[in-house]
Structure formats: structure tokens, C-alpha cells
Amino acid sequence: NEERGKILGAVLAGGRSTRFGSDKSAAVWQGRTLLDHARVALSRACERVVVCAGSNATPLQFLDKCCQTVPNRTSARWGAVRGLHHALENGFDAVLTAPIDAHPLPDDL
């Protein structure tokens, strides 16, 4: 929809998962990884989806050609800020974020 502009989806997966006990991105819920649930939900509403991950970056085997990891930047350590920088640098008008552990996400994002 051109009226709403070009939207970037940003999966926020930068936490250390210390309370969770393991990388949340790789955790399986209802037969799919949490990363895949977030990626699919955002891809319904966004032109491109990126993963904002910290130093414990999501293993590439959990990503596909529609989803890339946004690298850490000194000026943008927080996931949402990195997503905003990426959107600005790549011509997006808006960013729709979803944390990796907020499921189920609504189908009508």
C-alpha cells in the first residue's frame, strides 16, 4: 500500500536471554522458532524484515533471504535504534518492531 509508505519490519532479538536460559531466537514454539514466528508476522505488513541482534547474534541458519541481521553500531546499540538507523539509511518511511518473545503476534499487523 503506497499510502502508508515503505515499512521495515525489525525483530528485536538483542537481549542476552539470561532469564530464558538459552537464545530465544532459536527456541521452538508451536513447531517453529520464535524468530520465524516474528519474521512471518512482520513480513505480512512490511517490505523487508531485519533482525536486530546483539553480540550473541542469531545464527544465520535461522535466517532466510527475506531476513538479515542488522550489525551493531557504536551509535546505535539498542535494537530499536539500530532498526531506525537501518530504515533511514535504506529509504524506509517507517519501522514496525516486534520483540522476539512476544507471541502470538496479531495476524493484522
Side-chain angles (χ1 to χ4, degrees):
N1 184 347
E2 290 187 30
E3 295 171 12
R4 67 179 187 195
K6 192 172 159 185
I7 301 173
L8 174 72
V11 178
L12 304 180
R16 292 184 304 229
S17 300
T18 52
R19 289 175 291 177
F20 194 77
S22 63
D23 181 11
K24 288 185 264 188
S25 300
V28 176
W29 179 61
Q30 295 185 345
R32 296 187 354 238
T33 64
L34 292 180
L35 174 59
D36 193 49
H37 281 281
R39 180 192 60 78
V40 168
L42 288 174
S43 68
R44 291 183 189 124
C46 302
E47 185 171 318
R48 185 185 324 155
V49 177
V50 296
V51 177
C52 299
S55 57
N56 63 335
T58 304
L60 292 178
Q61 73 259 28
F62 295 112
L63 302 178
D64 65 21
K65 63 181 179 272
C66 301
C67 196
Q68 68 186 69
T69 300
V70 176
N72 197 4
R73 299 170 48 139
T74 304
S75 64
R77 288 190 178 153
W78 300 326
V81 175
R82 284 196 323 232
L84 290 169
H85 275 276
H86 186 80
L88 180 65
E89 293 167 353
N90 291 279
F92 287 89
D93 300 306
V95 179
L96 177 59
T97 61
I100 196 76
D101 56 355
H103 298 288
L105 293 170
D107 290 333
D108 61 353
L109 290 175

XYZ file of all heavy atoms in Angstrom:
816
model
N 0.840 -1.173 0.000
C 0.000 0.000 0.000
C 0.888 1.240 0.000
O 1.567 1.516 0.979
C -0.912 -0.046 1.209
C -1.904 1.085 1.267
O -1.798 2.063 0.547
N -2.875 0.931 2.122
N 0.883 2.026 -1.053
C 1.749 3.190 -1.171
C 1.361 4.314 -0.217
O 2.179 5.148 0.126
C 1.754 3.685 -2.613
C 2.479 2.730 -3.536
C 2.630 3.305 -4.928
O 2.713 4.537 -5.057
O 2.656 2.516 -5.872
N 0.108 4.361 0.220
C -0.344 5.406 1.132
C 0.422 5.388 2.444
O 0.702 6.423 3.019
C -1.834 5.239 1.426
C -2.705 5.432 0.220
C -4.141 5.033 0.516
O -4.503 4.836 1.685
O -4.905 4.913 -0.443
N 0.757 4.219 2.932
C 1.425 4.115 4.230
C 2.935 4.210 4.117
O 3.620 4.272 5.120
C 1.033 2.827 4.935
C 1.551 1.589 4.245
C 1.160 0.361 5.002
N 1.814 -0.781 4.397
C 1.500 -2.011 4.599
N 0.518 -2.291 5.406
N 2.142 -2.982 4.019
N 3.492 4.204 2.937
C 4.936 4.299 2.754
C 5.618 2.951 2.844
O 4.985 1.910 3.004
N 6.897 3.000 2.753
C 7.737 1.795 2.762
C 8.084 1.442 4.216
O 8.736 2.222 4.913
C 8.993 2.115 1.946
C 9.846 0.965 1.606
C 10.938 1.443 0.639
C 12.094 0.487 0.651
N 13.202 0.982 -0.172
N 7.638 0.258 4.680
C 7.796 -0.131 6.082
C 8.845 -1.230 6.222
O 8.799 -2.242 5.525
C 6.457 -0.611 6.672
C 5.411 0.497 6.564
C 6.639 -1.046 8.119
C 4.017 0.057 6.972
N 9.755 -1.019 7.167
C 10.759 -2.021 7.530
C 10.278 -2.739 8.781
O 9.874 -2.099 9.756
C 12.104 -1.344 7.827
C 13.208 -2.254 8.351
C 13.713 -3.163 7.240
C 14.349 -1.443 8.943
N 10.300 -4.052 8.759
C 9.999 -4.841 9.948
C 11.297 -5.114 10.684
O 12.294 -5.484 10.061
N 11.318 -4.937 11.990
C 12.525 -5.160 12.789
C 12.208 -6.085 13.960
O 11.460 -5.722 14.867
C 13.088 -3.841 13.292
N 12.775 -7.292 13.914
C 12.632 -8.239 15.012
C 13.679 -7.866 16.061
O 14.868 -7.826 15.760
C 12.861 -9.692 14.549
C 12.741 -10.652 15.726
C 11.899 -10.077 13.439
N 13.240 -7.594 17.270
C 14.161 -7.219 18.343
C 14.609 -8.487 19.071
O 13.853 -9.097 19.811
C 13.482 -6.245 19.309
C 12.914 -4.981 18.658
C 12.265 -4.090 19.706
C 13.988 -4.231 17.893
N 15.852 -8.889 18.791
C 16.390 -10.142 19.324
C 17.761 -9.904 19.950
O 18.642 -10.737 19.852
C 16.481 -11.180 18.207
N 17.940 -8.756 20.578
C 19.262 -8.404 21.074
C 19.512 -8.682 22.537
O 20.599 -8.435 23.035
N 18.549 -9.208 23.232
C 18.756 -9.481 24.654
C 19.715 -10.633 24.880
O 20.016 -11.407 23.970
N 20.192 -10.741 26.090
C 21.152 -11.806 26.407
C 20.453 -13.117 26.745
O 21.098 -14.133 26.913
C 22.030 -11.363 27.565
C 22.947 -10.217 27.169
C 23.865 -9.871 28.301
N 23.092 -9.564 29.497
C 23.271 -8.499 30.252
N 24.204 -7.647 29.955
N 22.524 -8.291 31.309
N 19.157 -13.110 26.896
C 18.370 -14.315 27.201
C 18.796 -14.970 28.505
O 18.654 -16.179 28.664
C 18.458 -15.331 26.053
O 17.970 -14.797 24.859
N 19.308 -14.200 29.460
C 19.797 -14.795 30.700
C 18.673 -15.420 31.523
O 18.850 -16.508 32.071
C 20.552 -13.760 31.562
O 19.731 -12.609 31.727
C 21.858 -13.359 30.904
N 17.529 -14.782 31.603
C 16.408 -15.371 32.343
C 15.789 -16.527 31.587
O 15.254 -17.452 32.177
C 15.346 -14.313 32.642
C 15.806 -13.311 33.691
C 14.779 -12.245 33.858
N 14.804 -11.464 32.616
C 14.002 -10.469 32.334
N 13.072 -10.119 33.184
N 14.104 -9.815 31.202
N 15.868 -16.467 30.254
C 15.286 -17.513 29.421
C 16.132 -18.782 29.472
O 15.623 -19.880 29.338
C 15.157 -17.003 27.987
C 14.281 -17.839 27.111
C 12.906 -17.759 27.214
C 14.824 -18.700 26.177
C 12.085 -18.524 26.411
C 14.021 -19.473 25.363
C 12.641 -19.381 25.485
N 17.453 -18.626 29.591
C 18.337 -19.779 29.711
C 19.038 -20.204 28.438
O 19.974 -20.991 28.470
N 18.565 -19.722 27.287
C 19.196 -20.030 26.001
C 18.769 -18.953 25.006
O 17.928 -18.113 25.318
C 18.785 -21.417 25.496
O 17.386 -21.461 25.260
N 19.325 -18.983 23.809
C 18.987 -17.993 22.786
C 17.504 -18.094 22.446
O 17.048 -19.107 21.916
C 19.845 -18.216 21.542
C 19.563 -17.219 20.436
O 18.858 -16.220 20.677
O 20.053 -17.442 19.318
N 16.748 -17.046 22.740
C 15.303 -17.063 22.479
C 14.985 -17.216 20.998
O 13.983 -17.817 20.642
C 14.653 -15.779 23.003
C 14.582 -15.704 24.492
C 13.816 -14.485 24.925
C 14.796 -13.390 25.222
N 14.182 -12.212 25.836
N 15.838 -16.685 20.144
C 15.590 -16.756 18.696
C 15.462 -18.185 18.207
O 14.718 -18.473 17.282
C 16.724 -16.071 17.924
O 16.821 -14.731 18.302
N 16.224 -19.079 18.822
C 16.239 -20.475 18.385
C 15.204 -21.335 19.102
O 14.988 -22.490 18.729
C 17.634 -21.063 18.605
N 14.548 -20.784 20.128
C 13.547 -21.548 20.874
C 12.373 -21.893 19.962
O 11.948 -21.087 19.137
C 13.067 -20.744 22.075
N 11.844 -23.079 20.131
C 10.743 -23.555 19.284
C 9.424 -23.438 20.045
O 9.318 -23.850 21.194
C 10.989 -25.012 18.840
C 9.800 -25.546 18.056
C 12.264 -25.100 18.010
N 8.441 -22.864 19.377
C 7.083 -22.746 19.904
C 6.135 -23.112 18.777
O 6.248 -22.602 17.665
C 6.835 -21.317 20.392
C 5.456 -21.084 20.925
C 4.873 -21.701 21.987
C 4.496 -20.154 20.427
N 3.603 -21.210 22.186
C 3.350 -20.263 21.234
C 4.493 -19.254 19.374
C 2.206 -19.497 21.026
C 3.353 -18.493 19.173
C 2.230 -18.619 19.996
N 5.235 -24.027 19.031
C 4.268 -24.499 18.042
C 4.954 -24.930 16.744
O 4.483 -24.636 15.644
C 3.211 -23.445 17.772
C 2.347 -23.160 18.983
C 1.205 -22.202 18.691
O 1.172 -21.518 17.674
N 0.260 -22.147 19.605
N 6.086 -25.608 16.873
C 6.755 -26.204 15.716
C 7.679 -25.295 14.927
O 8.285 -25.726 13.955
N 7.801 -24.013 15.310
C 8.681 -23.074 14.597
C 9.469 -22.264 15.610
O 9.020 -22.072 16.739
C 7.859 -22.126 13.715
C 7.122 -22.848 12.618
C 6.422 -21.947 11.599
N 6.408 -20.542 11.825
C 5.289 -19.811 11.923
N 4.110 -20.365 11.842
N 5.357 -18.503 12.084
N 10.614 -21.731 15.189
C 11.401 -20.903 16.094
C 10.673 -19.588 16.368
O 9.861 -19.136 15.558
C 12.793 -20.584 15.510
O 12.633 -19.797 14.333
C 13.588 -21.847 15.225
N 10.985 -18.993 17.509
C 10.395 -17.692 17.834
C 10.786 -16.661 16.776
O 9.991 -15.795 16.418
C 10.839 -17.226 19.219
C 10.299 -18.039 20.397
C 10.815 -17.460 21.715
C 8.781 -18.086 20.402
N 12.013 -16.769 16.268
C 12.440 -15.865 15.192
C 11.549 -16.021 13.969
O 11.115 -15.041 13.373
C 13.902 -16.123 14.817
C 14.411 -15.344 13.609
C 14.295 -13.845 13.828
C 15.838 -15.724 13.298
N 11.238 -17.236 13.595
C 10.405 -17.460 12.419
C 8.993 -16.918 12.631
O 8.417 -16.323 11.727
C 10.373 -18.943 12.059
C 9.778 -19.171 10.686
O 10.209 -18.478 9.732
O 8.883 -20.026 10.551
N 8.441 -17.098 13.826
C 7.108 -16.548 14.112
C 7.109 -15.028 13.915
O 6.218 -14.475 13.266
C 6.674 -16.867 15.544
C 6.169 -18.247 15.736
N 4.899 -18.634 15.372
C 6.761 -19.344 16.270
C 4.724 -19.909 15.674
N 5.842 -20.364 16.219
N 8.120 -14.350 14.462
C 8.190 -12.891 14.348
C 8.424 -12.472 12.903
O 7.799 -11.534 12.407
C 9.299 -12.354 15.248
N 9.323 -13.161 12.207
C 9.638 -12.832 10.812
C 8.406 -12.941 9.937
O 8.092 -12.051 9.159
C 10.738 -13.755 10.286
C 11.125 -13.482 8.842
C 11.989 -14.592 8.281
N 11.338 -15.896 8.297
C 10.420 -16.307 7.422
N 10.014 -15.497 6.455
N 9.893 -17.508 7.493
N 7.660 -14.026 10.085
C 6.465 -14.240 9.267
C 5.411 -13.179 9.573
O 4.812 -12.602 8.662
C 5.907 -15.667 9.472
C 4.523 -15.813 8.862
C 6.865 -16.696 8.884
N 5.193 -12.900 10.852
C 4.185 -11.893 11.225
C 4.538 -10.524 10.654
O 3.679 -9.840 10.084
C 4.055 -11.820 12.742
N 5.801 -10.119 10.765
C 6.207 -8.816 10.247
C 6.205 -8.785 8.721
O 5.885 -7.766 8.118
C 7.588 -8.432 10.782
C 7.642 -8.054 12.252
C 9.085 -7.845 12.696
C 6.817 -6.814 12.527
N 6.547 -9.898 8.096
C 6.622 -9.908 6.629
C 5.260 -9.712 5.980
O 5.174 -9.281 4.836
C 7.282 -11.190 6.123
O 6.456 -12.305 6.370
N 4.189 -9.972 6.714
C 2.839 -9.746 6.176
C 2.556 -8.258 5.985
O 1.755 -7.874 5.147
C 1.793 -10.337 7.108
C 1.793 -11.839 7.143
C 0.672 -12.350 8.036
N 0.799 -13.776 8.224
C 0.888 -14.367 9.403
N 0.830 -13.642 10.516
N 1.020 -15.661 9.494
N 3.211 -7.410 6.792
C 2.927 -5.974 6.766
C 4.099 -5.129 6.269
O 3.928 -3.935 6.049
C 2.548 -5.514 8.173
N 5.269 -5.741 6.089
C 6.477 -4.964 5.804
C 7.148 -5.417 4.508
O 7.076 -6.583 4.133
C 7.474 -5.122 6.947
S 6.795 -4.618 8.538
N 7.802 -4.477 3.872
C 8.516 -4.779 2.630
C 9.738 -5.658 2.874
O 10.064 -6.525 2.087
C 8.950 -3.480 1.956
C 9.591 -3.722 0.613
C 9.813 -2.426 -0.129
O 8.917 -1.562 -0.116
O 10.886 -2.288 -0.721
N 10.444 -5.420 3.975
C 11.624 -6.212 4.329
C 11.642 -6.375 5.833
O 11.149 -5.534 6.563
C 12.904 -5.505 3.891
C 14.131 -6.369 4.145
C 15.470 -5.711 3.847
N 15.470 -4.819 2.719
C 16.344 -3.809 2.588
N 17.264 -3.601 3.491
N 16.293 -3.016 1.543
N 12.226 -7.484 6.301
C 12.349 -7.742 7.726
C 13.821 -7.921 8.052
O 14.534 -8.626 7.345
C 11.558 -9.006 8.147
C 11.763 -9.307 9.628
C 10.079 -8.837 7.839
N 14.258 -7.267 9.129
C 15.621 -7.430 9.622
C 15.560 -7.902 11.070
O 14.543 -7.752 11.744
C 16.439 -6.116 9.532
C 16.622 -5.695 8.085
C 15.806 -5.010 10.342
N 16.674 -8.483 11.523
C 16.797 -8.918 12.903
C 17.818 -8.019 13.577
O 18.946 -7.910 13.109
C 17.259 -10.390 12.988
C 17.459 -10.803 14.444
C 16.257 -11.302 12.313
N 17.420 -7.369 14.649
C 18.331 -6.535 15.428
C 18.809 -7.402 16.591
O 18.068 -7.639 17.542
C 17.623 -5.294 15.943
S 16.991 -4.240 14.614
N 20.029 -7.912 16.469
C 20.578 -8.840 17.454
C 21.857 -8.282 18.035
O 22.581 -7.553 17.364
C 20.839 -10.198 16.804
N 22.143 -8.642 19.266
C 23.337 -8.162 19.944
C 24.548 -9.014 19.644
O 24.626 -9.696 18.615
N 25.471 -9.022 20.580
C 26.726 -9.747 20.386
C 26.501 -11.249 20.308
O 27.320 -11.983 19.761
C 27.697 -9.423 21.514
O 27.109 -9.744 22.754
N 25.387 -11.716 20.851
C 25.042 -13.137 20.724
C 24.160 -13.325 19.487
O 23.154 -13.997 19.512
C 24.302 -13.626 21.976
C 22.975 -12.915 22.179
O 22.766 -11.802 21.719
N 22.069 -13.562 22.876
N 24.592 -12.747 18.370
C 23.792 -12.668 17.145
C 23.172 -14.010 16.779
O 23.769 -15.062 16.940
C 24.649 -12.163 15.995
N 21.964 -13.914 16.287
C 21.209 -15.077 15.863
C 21.986 -15.848 14.798
O 22.443 -15.258 13.837
C 19.862 -14.608 15.277
O 19.217 -13.824 16.274
C 18.990 -15.771 14.902
N 22.138 -17.148 14.970
C 22.851 -17.935 13.949
C 22.179 -17.809 12.582
O 20.961 -17.805 12.484
C 22.742 -19.369 14.470
C 22.449 -19.233 15.925
C 21.686 -17.954 16.078
N 22.982 -17.689 11.553
C 22.452 -17.473 10.210
C 21.550 -18.595 9.726
O 20.712 -18.377 8.870
C 23.602 -17.250 9.226
C 24.363 -15.948 9.430
C 25.511 -15.843 8.435
C 23.456 -14.745 9.286
N 21.696 -19.811 10.280
C 20.831 -20.891 9.812
C 19.361 -20.627 10.141
O 18.482 -21.246 9.584
C 21.274 -22.256 10.353
C 20.989 -22.477 11.818
C 22.208 -22.290 12.691
O 23.115 -21.545 12.356
N 22.229 -22.970 13.816
N 19.094 -19.678 11.044
C 17.713 -19.354 11.379
C 17.158 -18.221 10.524
O 16.017 -17.837 10.668
C 17.588 -18.990 12.856
C 17.894 -20.137 13.763
C 19.013 -20.120 14.562
C 17.075 -21.253 13.789
C 19.303 -21.184 15.394
C 17.361 -22.329 14.606
C 18.482 -22.291 15.417
N 17.984 -17.666 9.636
C 17.549 -16.577 8.774
C 17.339 -17.089 7.360
O 17.849 -18.120 6.976
C 18.604 -15.458 8.764
C 18.939 -14.863 10.128
C 20.028 -13.803 9.972
C 17.728 -14.267 10.795
N 16.599 -16.364 6.566
C 16.454 -16.703 5.154
C 16.690 -15.462 4.318
O 17.036 -14.411 4.835
C 15.104 -17.357 4.856
C 13.924 -16.426 5.089
O 14.106 -15.193 5.090
O 12.813 -16.923 5.248
N 16.495 -15.579 3.015
C 16.819 -14.470 2.118
C 15.957 -13.229 2.354
O 16.305 -12.152 1.919
C 16.714 -14.924 0.666
C 15.318 -15.342 0.247
C 15.303 -15.795 -1.187
C 13.936 -16.245 -1.608
N 13.637 -17.631 -1.372
N 14.832 -13.360 3.048
C 13.964 -12.218 3.314
C 14.331 -11.513 4.615
O 13.721 -10.524 4.974
C 12.515 -12.685 3.432
S 11.906 -13.503 1.980
N 15.295 -12.038 5.319
C 15.590 -11.544 6.654
C 17.103 -11.458 6.832
O 17.807 -12.400 6.511
C 14.998 -12.529 7.656
S 14.831 -11.940 9.320
N 17.608 -10.334 7.319
C 19.034 -10.190 7.536
C 19.281 -9.642 8.927
O 18.391 -9.066 9.542
C 19.649 -9.253 6.501
C 19.184 -7.809 6.655
C 19.682 -6.918 5.542
O 19.266 -7.048 4.414
N 20.569 -6.012 5.879
N 20.496 -9.839 9.448
C 20.847 -9.298 10.752
C 21.422 -7.910 10.572
O 22.289 -7.698 9.734
C 21.868 -10.206 11.460
O 21.291 -11.496 11.614
C 22.228 -9.666 12.826
N 20.934 -6.953 11.342
C 21.464 -5.594 11.309
C 22.659 -5.563 12.256
O 22.528 -5.879 13.430
C 20.400 -4.576 11.764
C 20.987 -3.178 11.817
C 19.204 -4.612 10.832
N 23.847 -5.207 11.743
C 25.043 -5.217 12.589
C 24.995 -4.156 13.682
O 24.335 -3.130 13.536
C 26.177 -4.928 11.607
C 25.527 -4.239 10.461
C 24.110 -4.759 10.392
N 25.706 -4.434 14.757
C 25.788 -3.494 15.864
C 26.578 -2.264 15.431
O 27.503 -2.362 14.645
C 26.475 -4.169 17.052
C 26.232 -3.421 18.343
O 25.495 -2.453 18.381
N 26.847 -3.889 19.396
N 26.186 -1.107 15.898
C 26.884 0.152 15.609
C 27.134 0.842 16.932
O 26.308 0.794 17.826
C 26.000 1.062 14.749
C 25.624 0.497 13.421
C 24.565 1.356 12.783
N 24.966 2.751 12.851
C 24.804 3.613 11.877
N 24.224 3.250 10.777
N 25.191 4.869 12.011
N 28.254 1.506 17.044
C 28.577 2.229 18.271
C 27.490 3.229 18.612
O 27.092 3.367 19.758
C 29.923 2.979 18.120
O 30.902 2.014 17.750
C 30.328 3.645 19.398
N 26.957 3.918 17.596
C 25.946 4.946 17.849
C 24.543 4.377 18.041
O 23.629 5.114 18.338
C 25.929 5.934 16.681
O 25.537 5.267 15.505
N 24.390 3.084 17.859
C 23.037 2.511 17.952
C 23.104 1.101 18.527
O 22.944 0.127 17.824
C 22.387 2.501 16.572
N 23.333 0.996 19.808
C 23.448 -0.324 20.428
C 22.097 -0.949 20.703
O 21.972 -2.154 20.765
C 24.231 -0.227 21.734
C 25.681 0.030 21.473
C 26.479 -0.106 22.731
N 27.872 0.102 22.413
C 28.755 0.546 23.258
N 28.410 0.820 24.485
N 29.996 0.699 22.889
N 21.071 -0.140 20.905
C 19.758 -0.689 21.203
C 19.087 -1.132 19.921
O 19.121 -0.463 18.902
C 18.900 0.332 21.916
C 19.493 0.777 23.216
C 20.229 0.014 24.081
C 19.416 2.066 23.786
N 20.599 0.761 25.157
C 20.123 2.024 25.008
C 18.831 3.251 23.397
C 20.233 3.122 25.845
C 18.940 4.343 24.228
C 19.629 4.278 25.425
N 18.441 -2.276 19.975
C 17.836 -2.868 18.792
C 16.911 -1.953 18.019
O 17.017 -1.825 16.808
N 15.986 -1.295 18.704
C 15.032 -0.437 18.004
C 15.746 0.722 17.325
O 15.400 1.103 16.203
C 13.973 0.086 18.978
N 16.764 1.272 17.962
C 17.517 2.371 17.369
C 18.281 1.883 16.142
O 18.328 2.563 15.114
C 18.479 3.007 18.407
C 19.361 4.064 17.762
C 17.679 3.607 19.556
N 18.859 0.693 16.220
C 19.553 0.137 15.047
C 18.575 -0.050 13.900
O 18.905 0.196 12.747
C 20.221 -1.189 15.405
C 21.469 -0.970 16.213
C 22.331 -2.194 16.243
N 21.542 -3.407 16.308
C 21.700 -4.360 17.198
N 22.625 -4.261 18.108
N 20.961 -5.428 17.181
N 17.368 -0.519 14.197
C 16.356 -0.650 13.156
C 16.021 0.682 12.513
O 15.876 0.784 11.300
N 15.909 1.736 13.322
C 15.637 3.070 12.796
C 16.779 3.558 11.905
O 16.545 4.127 10.835
C 15.392 4.058 13.943
C 14.090 3.870 14.720
C 14.096 4.730 15.977
C 12.889 4.180 13.847
N 18.015 3.351 12.342
C 19.171 3.726 11.511
C 19.146 2.988 10.171
O 19.355 3.587 9.120
C 20.490 3.407 12.233
C 20.937 4.469 13.166
N 21.652 5.569 12.766
C 20.765 4.594 14.507
C 21.913 6.322 13.810
N 21.373 5.763 14.882
N 18.885 1.697 10.228
C 18.841 0.886 9.008
C 17.736 1.389 8.074
O 17.930 1.494 6.865
C 18.620 -0.584 9.358
C 18.694 -1.494 8.179
N 19.884 -1.916 7.638
C 17.721 -2.050 7.423
C 19.641 -2.697 6.603
N 18.339 -2.798 6.454
N 16.590 1.712 8.643
C 15.473 2.213 7.836
C 15.841 3.530 7.167
O 15.610 3.716 5.964
C 14.240 2.400 8.715
N 16.420 4.436 7.915
C 16.815 5.733 7.380
C 17.847 5.581 6.260
O 17.738 6.204 5.209
C 17.382 6.610 8.498
C 17.851 8.001 8.087
C 16.666 8.831 7.594
C 18.519 8.688 9.264
N 18.836 4.719 6.477
C 19.909 4.526 5.508
C 19.452 3.787 4.250
O 20.142 3.812 3.236
C 21.060 3.759 6.153
C 21.762 4.557 7.231
C 22.686 3.728 8.100
O 22.708 2.481 7.960
O 23.387 4.327 8.939
N 18.289 3.127 4.319
C 17.828 2.316 3.191
C 16.494 2.770 2.615
O 15.823 2.014 1.912
C 17.767 0.844 3.613
C 19.148 0.280 3.840
O 19.824 -0.094 2.897
N 19.594 0.250 5.090
N 16.089 3.999 2.898
C 14.927 4.582 2.258
C 13.568 4.136 2.757
O 12.578 4.257 2.037
N 13.484 3.642 3.989
C 12.191 3.255 4.545
C 11.539 4.459 5.216
O 12.212 5.353 5.723
C 12.358 2.108 5.550
C 12.651 0.798 4.891
C 13.954 0.418 4.632
C 11.627 -0.043 4.496
C 14.241 -0.774 4.006
C 11.894 -1.244 3.865
C 13.211 -1.610 3.616
N 10.211 4.473 5.224
C 9.448 5.572 5.818
C 9.064 5.309 7.268
O 8.773 6.242 8.010
C 8.169 5.810 5.005
C 8.478 6.160 3.568
O 9.246 7.111 3.343
O 7.966 5.470 2.668
N 9.024 4.036 7.649
C 8.577 3.671 8.993
C 9.186 2.334 9.389
O 9.652 1.574 8.534
C 7.052 3.578 9.031
N 9.157 2.067 10.689
C 9.654 0.801 11.227
C 8.575 0.206 12.117
O 8.014 0.890 12.978
C 10.946 1.002 12.060
C 11.423 -0.325 12.625
C 12.038 1.643 11.214
N 8.286 -1.062 11.888
C 7.368 -1.817 12.739
C 8.213 -2.847 13.475
O 8.858 -3.679 12.848
C 6.293 -2.511 11.896
C 5.287 -3.395 12.626
C 4.507 -2.605 13.672
C 4.338 -4.049 11.627
N 8.266 -2.748 14.811
C 9.106 -3.657 15.584
C 8.274 -4.705 16.305
O 7.096 -4.484 16.609
C 9.929 -2.894 16.640
O 9.038 -2.252 17.547
C 10.857 -1.882 15.999
N 8.926 -5.836 16.566
C 8.310 -6.894 17.360
C 9.407 -7.586 18.154
O 10.410 -8.014 17.580
C 7.599 -7.909 16.473
N 9.259 -7.681 19.475
C 10.248 -8.411 20.258
C 10.156 -9.899 19.966
O 9.084 -10.421 19.648
C 9.876 -8.100 21.705
C 8.484 -7.616 21.667
C 8.205 -7.106 20.288
N 11.270 -10.566 20.071
C 11.354 -11.991 19.729
C 10.454 -12.848 20.621
O 10.010 -13.908 20.221
C 12.833 -12.466 19.805
C 13.008 -13.800 19.087
C 13.323 -12.582 21.217
C 13.009 -13.680 17.614
N 10.154 -12.370 21.819
C 9.414 -13.195 22.776
C 8.008 -12.678 23.070
O 7.483 -12.890 24.148
C 10.220 -13.330 24.061
C 10.589 -11.989 24.672
O 10.296 -10.940 24.056
O 11.186 -11.992 25.761
N 7.378 -12.034 22.106
C 6.013 -11.520 22.295
C 5.063 -12.240 21.348
O 4.593 -11.663 20.376
C 5.983 -10.023 22.053
N 4.771 -13.472 21.650
C 3.917 -14.265 20.750
C 2.684 -14.733 21.497
O 2.742 -14.931 22.708
C 4.698 -15.451 20.203
C 5.870 -15.014 19.390
N 5.739 -14.449 18.151
C 7.187 -15.005 19.662
C 6.930 -14.133 17.690
N 7.824 -14.459 18.590
N 1.599 -14.905 20.793
C 1.446 -14.756 19.355
C 1.253 -13.290 18.969
O 0.615 -12.522 19.677
C 0.193 -15.549 19.031
C -0.618 -15.494 20.308
C 0.376 -15.421 21.437
N 1.832 -12.919 17.843
C 1.638 -11.584 17.272
C 0.331 -11.596 16.483
O -0.011 -12.601 15.873
C 2.802 -11.217 16.359
C 4.136 -11.040 17.072
C 5.268 -10.931 16.051
C 4.108 -9.818 17.954
N -0.392 -10.481 16.463
C -1.653 -10.460 15.731
C -1.435 -10.637 14.223
O -0.418 -10.185 13.678
C -2.234 -9.082 16.035
C -1.178 -8.311 16.717
C -0.095 -9.243 17.138
N -2.369 -11.283 13.567
C -2.272 -11.507 12.122
C -2.450 -10.223 11.316
O -2.036 -10.150 10.173
C -3.333 -12.512 11.663
C -3.027 -13.923 12.162
O -1.840 -14.225 12.391
O -3.981 -14.700 12.306
N -3.059 -9.210 11.918
C -3.377 -7.994 11.172
C -2.457 -6.822 11.507
O -2.884 -5.681 11.558
C -4.830 -7.594 11.411
C -5.125 -7.307 12.886
O -4.241 -7.553 13.740
O -6.223 -6.828 13.169
N -1.173 -7.116 11.705
C -0.228 -6.023 11.969
C -0.327 -4.969 10.906
O -0.185 -3.816 11.096
C 1.218 -6.554 12.029
C 1.570 -7.398 13.226
C 2.991 -7.953 13.079
C 1.504 -6.576 14.502
